[in-house]
Amino acid sequence: EFYGKGAPYNALVGKDSTRGVAKMSLDPADLTHDITGLTEEELKSLDDIFNNVYKAKYPIVGYTSRRILNEDGSPNLDFKPEDQPHFDIKDEF
């Protein structure tokens, strides 16, 4: 009901919207993984939202292609779920 077609947070679906979440923004320019230039307050907000909302409410079911694929589309052989920020594999599985 929140993320489906026409729902309030549908703009966040299918992409790494980290910046938008930190800024509490659905502006298309903010719907990116890039956190460059975020304030300390925005970074703290992002951390709080991730840990107290997303991680507490939703299981991790996958990763965005930016993490698991190289720019040319080949597999990122260095990708390890246990090395991802804010991710403790023991908490999820």
Side-chain angles (χ1 to χ4, degrees):
E1 72 185 78
F2 294 109
Y3 300 97
K5 188 172 184 174
Y9 300 129
N10 181 256
L12 302 172
V13 173
K15 59 183 73 88
D16 184 339
S17 302
T18 302
R19 183 180 197 80
V21 172
K23 294 175 67 81
M24 302 300 268
S25 169
L26 294 176
D27 181 327
D30 288 328
L31 301 181
T32 177
H33 69 280
D34 186 8
I35 60 171
T36 304
L38 291 180
T39 66
E40 285 298 318
E41 186 175 305
E42 289 166 335
L43 291 170
K44 182 178 180 337
S45 173
L46 178 63
D47 206 36
D48 290 344
I49 290 167
F50 183 82
N51 287 309
N52 299 324
V53 178
Y54 294 135
K55 192 172 178 185
K57 218 172 166 181
Y58 306 107
I60 295 174
V61 297
Y63 298 91
T64 59
S65 61
R66 184 178 65 79
R67 290 189 187 270
I68 62 174
L69 299 177
N70 295 315
E71 286 187 33
D72 65 2
S74 64
N76 176 0
L77 300 178
D78 295 324
F79 175 82
K80 294 183 186 116
E82 60 272 16
D83 292 342
Q84 299 307 300
H86 304 294
F87 180 71
D88 182 349
I89 199 163
K90 294 178 188 129
D91 290 343
E92 303 300 330
F93 303 101

